[in-house]
PDB file of all heavy atoms in Angstrom:
ATOM      1  N   TYR A1291     -27.515  50.200 -25.335  1.00 80.00           N
ATOM      2  CA  TYR A1291     -28.430  50.304 -26.464  1.00 80.00           C
ATOM      3  C   TYR A1291     -28.766  51.778 -26.669  1.00 80.00           C
ATOM      4  O   TYR A1291     -28.716  52.569 -25.732  1.00 80.00           O
ATOM      5  CB  TYR A1291     -29.705  49.479 -26.245  1.00 80.00           C
ATOM      6  CG  TYR A1291     -30.474  49.855 -25.010  1.00 80.00           C
ATOM      7  CD1 TYR A1291     -31.451  50.839 -25.052  1.00 80.00           C
ATOM      8  CD2 TYR A1291     -30.214  49.236 -23.793  1.00 80.00           C
ATOM      9  CE1 TYR A1291     -32.146  51.206 -23.912  1.00 80.00           C
ATOM     10  CE2 TYR A1291     -30.905  49.597 -22.654  1.00 80.00           C
ATOM     11  CZ  TYR A1291     -31.862  50.580 -22.722  1.00 80.00           C
ATOM     12  OH  TYR A1291     -32.547  50.935 -21.594  1.00 80.00           O
ATOM     13  N   PRO A1292     -29.082  52.152 -27.928  1.00 80.00           N
ATOM     14  CA  PRO A1292     -29.372  53.572 -28.186  1.00 80.00           C
ATOM     15  C   PRO A1292     -30.726  53.980 -27.614  1.00 80.00           C
ATOM     16  O   PRO A1292     -31.595  53.133 -27.384  1.00 80.00           O
ATOM     17  CB  PRO A1292     -29.388  53.653 -29.711  1.00 80.00           C
ATOM     18  CG  PRO A1292     -29.696  52.278 -30.165  1.00 80.00           C
ATOM     19  CD  PRO A1292     -29.131  51.341 -29.129  1.00 80.00           C
ATOM     20  N   GLU A1293     -30.898  55.258 -27.391  1.00 77.00           N
ATOM     21  CA  GLU A1293     -32.175  55.785 -26.889  1.00 77.00           C
ATOM     22  C   GLU A1293     -33.314  55.407 -27.835  1.00 77.00           C
ATOM     23  O   GLU A1293     -34.367  54.970 -27.398  1.00 77.00           O
ATOM     24  CB  GLU A1293     -32.084  57.310 -26.743  1.00 77.00           C
ATOM     25  CG  GLU A1293     -33.343  57.951 -26.195  1.00 77.00           C
ATOM     26  CD  GLU A1293     -33.570  57.646 -24.722  1.00 77.00           C
ATOM     27  OE1 GLU A1293     -32.602  57.398 -23.995  1.00 77.00           O
ATOM     28  OE2 GLU A1293     -34.747  57.655 -24.310  1.00 77.00           O
ATOM     29  N   ASN A1294     -33.097  55.605 -29.117  1.00 78.00           N
ATOM     30  CA  ASN A1294     -34.058  55.178 -30.133  1.00 78.00           C
ATOM     31  C   ASN A1294     -33.595  53.839 -30.680  1.00 78.00           C
ATOM     32  O   ASN A1294     -32.603  53.768 -31.397  1.00 78.00           O
ATOM     33  CB  ASN A1294     -34.152  56.200 -31.276  1.00 78.00           C
ATOM     34  CG  ASN A1294     -34.769  57.499 -30.805  1.00 78.00           C
ATOM     35  OD1 ASN A1294     -35.668  57.507 -29.983  1.00 78.00           O
ATOM     36  ND2 ASN A1294     -34.259  58.600 -31.317  1.00 78.00           N
ATOM     37  N   ILE A1295     -34.297  52.788 -30.338  1.00 78.00           N
ATOM     38  CA  ILE A1295     -33.909  51.442 -30.762  1.00 78.00           C
ATOM     39  C   ILE A1295     -34.018  51.352 -32.279  1.00 78.00           C
ATOM     40  O   ILE A1295     -35.024  51.760 -32.864  1.00 78.00           O
ATOM     41  CB  ILE A1295     -34.794  50.393 -30.072  1.00 78.00           C
ATOM     42  CG1 ILE A1295     -34.573  50.461 -28.565  1.00 78.00           C
ATOM     43  CG2 ILE A1295     -34.487  49.005 -30.612  1.00 78.00           C
ATOM     44  CD1 ILE A1295     -35.497  49.588 -27.775  1.00 78.00           C
ATOM     45  N   VAL A1296     -32.980  50.817 -32.907  1.00 80.00           N
ATOM     46  CA  VAL A1296     -32.912  50.713 -34.361  1.00 80.00           C
ATOM     47  C   VAL A1296     -32.812  49.238 -34.738  1.00 80.00           C
ATOM     48  O   VAL A1296     -32.016  48.493 -34.161  1.00 80.00           O
ATOM     49  CB  VAL A1296     -31.683  51.482 -34.904  1.00 80.00           C
ATOM     50  CG1 VAL A1296     -31.579  51.344 -36.401  1.00 80.00           C
ATOM     51  CG2 VAL A1296     -31.752  52.942 -34.499  1.00 80.00           C
ATOM     52  N   ILE A1297     -33.596  48.823 -35.709  1.00 84.00           N
ATOM     53  CA  ILE A1297     -33.584  47.446 -36.160  1.00 84.00           C
ATOM     54  C   ILE A1297     -32.311  47.168 -36.957  1.00 84.00           C
ATOM     55  O   ILE A1297     -31.859  48.021 -37.727  1.00 84.00           O
ATOM     56  CB  ILE A1297     -34.858  47.138 -36.990  1.00 84.00           C
ATOM     57  CG1 ILE A1297     -35.012  45.647 -37.238  1.00 84.00           C
ATOM     58  CG2 ILE A1297     -34.864  47.927 -38.284  1.00 84.00           C
ATOM     59  CD1 ILE A1297     -36.374  45.261 -37.811  1.00 84.00           C
ATOM     60  N   ARG A1298     -31.726  45.988 -36.741  1.00 88.00           N
ATOM     61  CA  ARG A1298     -30.527  45.607 -37.502  1.00 88.00           C
ATOM     62  C   ARG A1298     -30.934  45.248 -38.930  1.00 88.00           C
ATOM     63  O   ARG A1298     -32.076  44.868 -39.186  1.00 88.00           O
ATOM     64  CB  ARG A1298     -29.857  44.385 -36.872  1.00 88.00           C
ATOM     65  CG  ARG A1298     -29.355  44.605 -35.468  1.00 88.00           C
ATOM     66  CD  ARG A1298     -28.636  43.402 -34.897  1.00 88.00           C
ATOM     67  NE  ARG A1298     -29.452  42.191 -34.963  1.00 88.00           N
ATOM     68  CZ  ARG A1298     -28.964  40.953 -35.092  1.00 88.00           C
ATOM     69  NH1 ARG A1298     -27.674  40.750 -35.166  1.00 88.00           N
ATOM     70  NH2 ARG A1298     -29.764  39.909 -35.128  1.00 88.00           N
ATOM     71  N   ASP A1299     -29.987  45.361 -39.862  1.00 89.00           N
ATOM     72  CA  ASP A1299     -30.269  45.068 -41.268  1.00 89.00           C
ATOM     73  C   ASP A1299     -30.795  43.637 -41.453  1.00 89.00           C
ATOM     74  O   ASP A1299     -31.733  43.411 -42.208  1.00 89.00           O
ATOM     75  CB  ASP A1299     -29.021  45.274 -42.135  1.00 89.00           C
ATOM     76  CG  ASP A1299     -28.663  46.737 -42.299  1.00 89.00           C
ATOM     77  OD1 ASP A1299     -29.532  47.600 -42.060  1.00 89.00           O
ATOM     78  OD2 ASP A1299     -27.508  47.005 -42.680  1.00 89.00           O
ATOM     79  N   VAL A1300     -30.203  42.683 -40.751  1.00 91.00           N
ATOM     80  CA  VAL A1300     -30.643  41.292 -40.884  1.00 91.00           C
ATOM     81  C   VAL A1300     -32.090  41.140 -40.415  1.00 91.00           C
ATOM     82  O   VAL A1300     -32.875  40.402 -41.005  1.00 91.00           O
ATOM     83  CB  VAL A1300     -29.687  40.321 -40.141  1.00 91.00           C
ATOM     84  CG1 VAL A1300     -29.744  40.530 -38.639  1.00 91.00           C
ATOM     85  CG2 VAL A1300     -29.981  38.880 -40.506  1.00 91.00           C
ATOM     86  N   ASN A1301     -32.467  41.872 -39.370  1.00 91.00           N
ATOM     87  CA  ASN A1301     -33.845  41.809 -38.887  1.00 91.00           C
ATOM     88  C   ASN A1301     -34.800  42.568 -39.799  1.00 91.00           C
ATOM     89  O   ASN A1301     -35.969  42.204 -39.921  1.00 91.00           O
ATOM     90  CB  ASN A1301     -33.934  42.333 -37.459  1.00 91.00           C
ATOM     91  CG  ASN A1301     -33.187  41.444 -36.495  1.00 91.00           C
ATOM     92  OD1 ASN A1301     -32.113  41.811 -36.020  1.00 91.00           O
ATOM     93  ND2 ASN A1301     -33.706  40.271 -36.224  1.00 91.00           N
ATOM     94  N   MET A1302     -34.302  43.605 -40.472  1.00 89.00           N
ATOM     95  CA  MET A1302     -35.119  44.322 -41.452  1.00 89.00           C
ATOM     96  C   MET A1302     -35.445  43.407 -42.622  1.00 89.00           C
ATOM     97  O   MET A1302     -36.562  43.416 -43.144  1.00 89.00           O
ATOM     98  CB  MET A1302     -34.395  45.580 -41.932  1.00 89.00           C
ATOM     99  CG  MET A1302     -35.232  46.414 -42.889  1.00 89.00           C
ATOM    100  SD  MET A1302     -36.721  47.092 -42.141  1.00 89.00           S
ATOM    101  CE  MET A1302     -36.028  48.435 -41.221  1.00 89.00           C
ATOM    102  N   ASP A1303     -34.475  42.589 -43.032  1.00 90.00           N
ATOM    103  CA  ASP A1303     -34.724  41.616 -44.098  1.00 90.00           C
ATOM    104  C   ASP A1303     -35.792  40.614 -43.679  1.00 90.00           C
ATOM    105  O   ASP A1303     -36.677  40.267 -44.469  1.00 90.00           O
ATOM    106  CB  ASP A1303     -33.434  40.880 -44.479  1.00 90.00           C
ATOM    107  CG  ASP A1303     -32.431  41.778 -45.172  1.00 90.00           C
ATOM    108  OD1 ASP A1303     -32.831  42.843 -45.696  1.00 90.00           O
ATOM    109  OD2 ASP A1303     -31.238  41.407 -45.196  1.00 90.00           O
ATOM    110  N   VAL A1304     -35.729  40.157 -42.435  1.00 93.00           N
ATOM    111  CA  VAL A1304     -36.738  39.228 -41.913  1.00 93.00           C
ATOM    112  C   VAL A1304     -38.107  39.898 -41.928  1.00 93.00           C
ATOM    113  O   VAL A1304     -39.100  39.289 -42.345  1.00 93.00           O
ATOM    114  CB  VAL A1304     -36.366  38.749 -40.489  1.00 93.00           C
ATOM    115  CG1 VAL A1304     -37.539  38.041 -39.826  1.00 93.00           C
ATOM    116  CG2 VAL A1304     -35.146  37.842 -40.529  1.00 93.00           C
ATOM    117  N   ALA A1305     -38.187  41.156 -41.498  1.00 90.00           N
ATOM    118  CA  ALA A1305     -39.465  41.876 -41.474  1.00 90.00           C
ATOM    119  C   ALA A1305     -40.026  42.037 -42.888  1.00 90.00           C
ATOM    120  O   ALA A1305     -41.224  41.850 -43.108  1.00 90.00           O
ATOM    121  CB  ALA A1305     -39.299  43.240 -40.798  1.00 90.00           C
ATOM    122  N   ASN A1306     -39.166  42.371 -43.854  1.00 88.00           N
ATOM    123  CA  ASN A1306     -39.629  42.504 -45.235  1.00 88.00           C
ATOM    124  C   ASN A1306     -40.163  41.176 -45.764  1.00 88.00           C
ATOM    125  O   ASN A1306     -41.188  41.136 -46.447  1.00 88.00           O
ATOM    126  CB  ASN A1306     -38.509  43.020 -46.142  1.00 88.00           C
ATOM    127  CG  ASN A1306     -38.432  44.518 -46.144  1.00 88.00           C
ATOM    128  OD1 ASN A1306     -39.436  45.197 -46.306  1.00 88.00           O
ATOM    129  ND2 ASN A1306     -37.245  45.043 -45.949  1.00 88.00           N
ATOM    130  N   GLN A1307     -39.472  40.083 -45.455  1.00 89.00           N
ATOM    131  CA  GLN A1307     -39.942  38.771 -45.894  1.00 89.00           C
ATOM    132  C   GLN A1307     -41.270  38.409 -45.209  1.00 89.00           C
ATOM    133  O   GLN A1307     -42.115  37.747 -45.805  1.00 89.00           O
ATOM    134  CB  GLN A1307     -38.880  37.697 -45.623  1.00 89.00           C
ATOM    135  CG  GLN A1307     -37.668  37.822 -46.516  1.00 89.00           C
ATOM    136  CD  GLN A1307     -38.037  37.767 -47.997  1.00 89.00           C
ATOM    137  OE1 GLN A1307     -38.842  36.956 -48.425  1.00 89.00           O
ATOM    138  NE2 GLN A1307     -37.459  38.666 -48.768  1.00 89.00           N
ATOM    139  N   ALA A1308     -41.457  38.849 -43.971  1.00 91.00           N
ATOM    140  CA  ALA A1308     -42.720  38.612 -43.275  1.00 91.00           C
ATOM    141  C   ALA A1308     -43.860  39.364 -43.953  1.00 91.00           C
ATOM    142  O   ALA A1308     -44.967  38.840 -44.094  1.00 91.00           O
ATOM    143  CB  ALA A1308     -42.604  39.008 -41.802  1.00 91.00           C
ATOM    144  N   CYS A1309     -43.583  40.587 -44.405  1.00 89.00           N
ATOM    145  CA  CYS A1309     -44.598  41.355 -45.146  1.00 89.00           C
ATOM    146  C   CYS A1309     -45.028  40.569 -46.382  1.00 89.00           C
ATOM    147  O   CYS A1309     -46.221  40.417 -46.657  1.00 89.00           O
ATOM    148  CB  CYS A1309     -44.052  42.708 -45.596  1.00 89.00           C
ATOM    149  SG  CYS A1309     -43.603  43.860 -44.293  1.00 89.00           S
ATOM    150  N   VAL A1310     -44.043  40.087 -47.109  1.00 86.00           N
ATOM    151  CA  VAL A1310     -44.313  39.336 -48.339  1.00 86.00           C
ATOM    152  C   VAL A1310     -45.052  38.037 -48.019  1.00 86.00           C
ATOM    153  O   VAL A1310     -45.948  37.620 -48.758  1.00 86.00           O
ATOM    154  CB  VAL A1310     -43.002  39.048 -49.101  1.00 86.00           C
ATOM    155  CG1 VAL A1310     -43.230  38.100 -50.250  1.00 86.00           C
ATOM    156  CG2 VAL A1310     -42.395  40.358 -49.591  1.00 86.00           C
ATOM    157  N   HIS A1311     -44.706  37.401 -46.913  1.00 89.00           N
ATOM    158  CA  HIS A1311     -45.366  36.146 -46.528  1.00 89.00           C
ATOM    159  C   HIS A1311     -46.884  36.343 -46.393  1.00 89.00           C
ATOM    160  O   HIS A1311     -47.662  35.528 -46.875  1.00 89.00           O
ATOM    161  CB  HIS A1311     -44.779  35.638 -45.204  1.00 89.00           C
ATOM    162  CG  HIS A1311     -45.431  34.407 -44.685  1.00 89.00           C
ATOM    163  ND1 HIS A1311     -45.166  33.155 -45.189  1.00 89.00           N
ATOM    164  CD2 HIS A1311     -46.358  34.233 -43.721  1.00 89.00           C
ATOM    165  CE1 HIS A1311     -45.891  32.269 -44.551  1.00 89.00           C
ATOM    166  NE2 HIS A1311     -46.634  32.893 -43.651  1.00 89.00           N
ATOM    167  N   CYS A1312     -47.275  37.418 -45.761  1.00 90.00           N
ATOM    168  CA  CYS A1312     -48.704  37.657 -45.534  1.00 90.00           C
ATOM    169  C   CYS A1312     -49.385  38.396 -46.687  1.00 90.00           C
ATOM    170  O   CYS A1312     -50.581  38.235 -46.891  1.00 90.00           O
ATOM    171  CB  CYS A1312     -48.899  38.453 -44.242  1.00 90.00           C
ATOM    172  SG  CYS A1312     -48.457  37.535 -42.761  1.00 90.00           S
ATOM    173  N   HIS A1313     -48.636  39.195 -47.415  1.00 88.00           N
ATOM    174  CA  HIS A1313     -49.231  40.048 -48.443  1.00 88.00           C
ATOM    175  C   HIS A1313     -48.739  39.709 -49.848  1.00 88.00           C
ATOM    176  O   HIS A1313     -48.734  40.582 -50.721  1.00 88.00           O
ATOM    177  CB  HIS A1313     -48.929  41.524 -48.134  1.00 88.00           C
ATOM    178  CG  HIS A1313     -49.468  41.982 -46.818  1.00 88.00           C
ATOM    179  ND1 HIS A1313     -50.814  42.189 -46.589  1.00 88.00           N
ATOM    180  CD2 HIS A1313     -48.839  42.275 -45.642  1.00 88.00           C
ATOM    181  CE1 HIS A1313     -50.985  42.589 -45.337  1.00 88.00           C
ATOM    182  NE2 HIS A1313     -49.813  42.647 -44.736  1.00 88.00           N
ATOM    183  N   ALA A1314     -48.348  38.466 -50.085  1.00 84.00           N
ATOM    184  CA  ALA A1314     -47.779  38.070 -51.384  1.00 84.00           C
ATOM    185  C   ALA A1314     -48.744  38.343 -52.534  1.00 84.00           C
ATOM    186  O   ALA A1314     -48.335  38.809 -53.598  1.00 84.00           O
ATOM    187  CB  ALA A1314     -47.386  36.602 -51.357  1.00 84.00           C
ATOM    188  N   ASP A1315     -50.031  38.074 -52.320  1.00 84.00           N
ATOM    189  CA  ASP A1315     -50.998  38.264 -53.404  1.00 84.00           C
ATOM    190  C   ASP A1315     -51.127  39.738 -53.802  1.00 84.00           C
ATOM    191  O   ASP A1315     -51.301  40.060 -54.972  1.00 84.00           O
ATOM    192  CB  ASP A1315     -52.362  37.693 -53.014  1.00 84.00           C
ATOM    193  CG  ASP A1315     -52.904  38.265 -51.714  1.00 84.00           C
ATOM    194  OD1 ASP A1315     -52.102  38.700 -50.868  1.00 84.00           O
ATOM    195  OD2 ASP A1315     -54.136  38.275 -51.545  1.00 84.00           O
ATOM    196  N   VAL A1316     -50.997  40.642 -52.840  1.00 81.00           N
ATOM    197  CA  VAL A1316     -51.128  42.067 -53.109  1.00 81.00           C
ATOM    198  C   VAL A1316     -49.842  42.647 -53.708  1.00 81.00           C
ATOM    199  O   VAL A1316     -49.892  43.560 -54.517  1.00 81.00           O
ATOM    200  CB  VAL A1316     -51.484  42.828 -51.805  1.00 81.00           C
ATOM    201  CG1 VAL A1316     -51.538  44.314 -52.028  1.00 81.00           C
ATOM    202  CG2 VAL A1316     -52.782  42.311 -51.231  1.00 81.00           C
ATOM    203  N   THR A1317     -48.706  42.099 -53.319  1.00 77.00           N
ATOM    204  CA  THR A1317     -47.420  42.675 -53.720  1.00 77.00           C
ATOM    205  C   THR A1317     -46.756  41.955 -54.886  1.00 77.00           C
ATOM    206  O   THR A1317     -45.657  42.336 -55.285  1.00 77.00           O
ATOM    207  CB  THR A1317     -46.443  42.672 -52.532  1.00 77.00           C
ATOM    208  OG1 THR A1317     -46.181  41.312 -52.148  1.00 77.00           O
ATOM    209  CG2 THR A1317     -46.997  43.451 -51.361  1.00 77.00           C
ATOM    210  N   ASP A1318     -47.389  40.959 -55.446  1.00 74.00           N
ATOM    211  CA  ASP A1318     -46.762  40.145 -56.492  1.00 74.00           C
ATOM    212  C   ASP A1318     -46.261  40.986 -57.674  1.00 74.00           C
ATOM    213  O   ASP A1318     -45.108  40.868 -58.088  1.00 74.00           O
ATOM    214  CB  ASP A1318     -47.736  39.070 -56.972  1.00 74.00           C
ATOM    215  CG  ASP A1318     -47.072  38.063 -57.874  1.00 74.00           C
ATOM    216  OD1 ASP A1318     -46.029  37.502 -57.463  1.00 74.00           O
ATOM    217  OD2 ASP A1318     -47.580  37.844 -58.990  1.00 74.00           O
ATOM    218  N   ASP A1319     -47.113  41.835 -58.221  1.00 70.00           N
ATOM    219  CA  ASP A1319     -46.712  42.660 -59.371  1.00 70.00           C
ATOM    220  C   ASP A1319     -45.589  43.628 -59.012  1.00 70.00           C
ATOM    221  O   ASP A1319     -44.667  43.846 -59.796  1.00 70.00           O
ATOM    222  CB  ASP A1319     -47.903  43.454 -59.915  1.00 70.00           C
ATOM    223  CG  ASP A1319     -48.927  42.563 -60.588  1.00 70.00           C
ATOM    224  OD1 ASP A1319     -48.569  41.432 -60.978  1.00 70.00           O
ATOM    225  OD2 ASP A1319     -50.081  42.998 -60.717  1.00 70.00           O
ATOM    226  N   ILE A1320     -45.655  44.194 -57.833  1.00 70.00           N
ATOM    227  CA  ILE A1320     -44.626  45.144 -57.398  1.00 70.00           C
ATOM    228  C   ILE A1320     -43.282  44.435 -57.269  1.00 70.00           C
ATOM    229  O   ILE A1320     -42.267  44.903 -57.780  1.00 70.00           O
ATOM    230  CB  ILE A1320     -45.008  45.785 -56.043  1.00 70.00           C
ATOM    231  CG1 ILE A1320     -46.302  46.579 -56.174  1.00 70.00           C
ATOM    232  CG2 ILE A1320     -43.873  46.647 -55.504  1.00 70.00           C
ATOM    233  CD1 ILE A1320     -46.919  46.969 -54.846  1.00 70.00           C
ATOM    234  N   ARG A1321     -43.281  43.294 -56.590  1.00 67.00           N
ATOM    235  CA  ARG A1321     -42.024  42.578 -56.363  1.00 67.00           C
ATOM    236  C   ARG A1321     -41.436  42.053 -57.661  1.00 67.00           C
ATOM    237  O   ARG A1321     -40.236  42.172 -57.889  1.00 67.00           O
ATOM    238  CB  ARG A1321     -42.236  41.427 -55.382  1.00 67.00           C
ATOM    239  CG  ARG A1321     -42.476  41.909 -53.966  1.00 67.00           C
ATOM    240  CD  ARG A1321     -42.669  40.782 -52.976  1.00 67.00           C
ATOM    241  NE  ARG A1321     -43.894  40.039 -53.235  1.00 67.00           N
ATOM    242  CZ  ARG A1321     -43.939  38.795 -53.704  1.00 67.00           C
ATOM    243  NH1 ARG A1321     -42.856  38.128 -53.957  1.00 67.00           N
ATOM    244  NH2 ARG A1321     -45.106  38.197 -53.916  1.00 67.00           N
ATOM    245  N   HIS A1322     -42.259  41.497 -58.536  1.00 65.00           N
ATOM    246  CA  HIS A1322     -41.722  40.962 -59.782  1.00 65.00           C
ATOM    247  C   HIS A1322     -41.237  42.076 -60.706  1.00 65.00           C
ATOM    248  O   HIS A1322     -40.254  41.913 -61.409  1.00 65.00           O
ATOM    249  CB  HIS A1322     -42.747  40.056 -60.475  1.00 65.00           C
ATOM    250  CG  HIS A1322     -42.831  38.723 -59.822  1.00 65.00           C
ATOM    251  ND1 HIS A1322     -43.785  38.444 -58.887  1.00 65.00           N
ATOM    252  CD2 HIS A1322     -42.045  37.628 -59.923  1.00 65.00           C
ATOM    253  CE1 HIS A1322     -43.617  37.211 -58.445  1.00 65.00           C
ATOM    254  NE2 HIS A1322     -42.566  36.701 -59.043  1.00 65.00           N
ATOM    255  N   GLY A1323     -41.900  43.215 -60.669  1.00 62.00           N
ATOM    256  CA  GLY A1323     -41.424  44.359 -61.445  1.00 62.00           C
ATOM    257  C   GLY A1323     -40.068  44.828 -60.951  1.00 62.00           C
ATOM    258  O   GLY A1323     -39.161  45.134 -61.742  1.00 62.00           O
ATOM    259  N   ALA A1324     -39.889  44.861 -59.642  1.00 58.00           N
ATOM    260  CA  ALA A1324     -38.604  45.275 -59.070  1.00 58.00           C
ATOM    261  C   ALA A1324     -37.521  44.268 -59.423  1.00 58.00           C
ATOM    262  O   ALA A1324     -36.398  44.638 -59.759  1.00 58.00           O
ATOM    263  CB  ALA A1324     -38.718  45.423 -57.554  1.00 58.00           C
TER     264      ALA A1324
END
């Protein structure tokens, strides 16, 4: 494993979805605009 552990792309997608799961009300306009 590397000295600086790096998250895999698939796990980054999971983390982003977790952000949205908890913060959907705050991020709704941002996500729909994107």
Side-chain angles (χ1 to χ4, degrees):
Y1291 58 89
E1293 182 71 27
N1294 292 324
I1295 297 173
V1296 178
I1297 191 169
R1298 297 183 306 150
D1299 288 342
V1300 67
N1301 294 107
M1302 184 64 77
D1303 291 340
V1304 168
N1306 274 311
Q1307 290 303 317
C1309 296
V1310 171
H1311 177 78
C1312 293
H1313 300 288
D1315 55 334
V1316 176
T1317 63
D1318 190 53
D1319 290 340
I1320 298 167
R1321 289 181 294 110
H1322 283 96

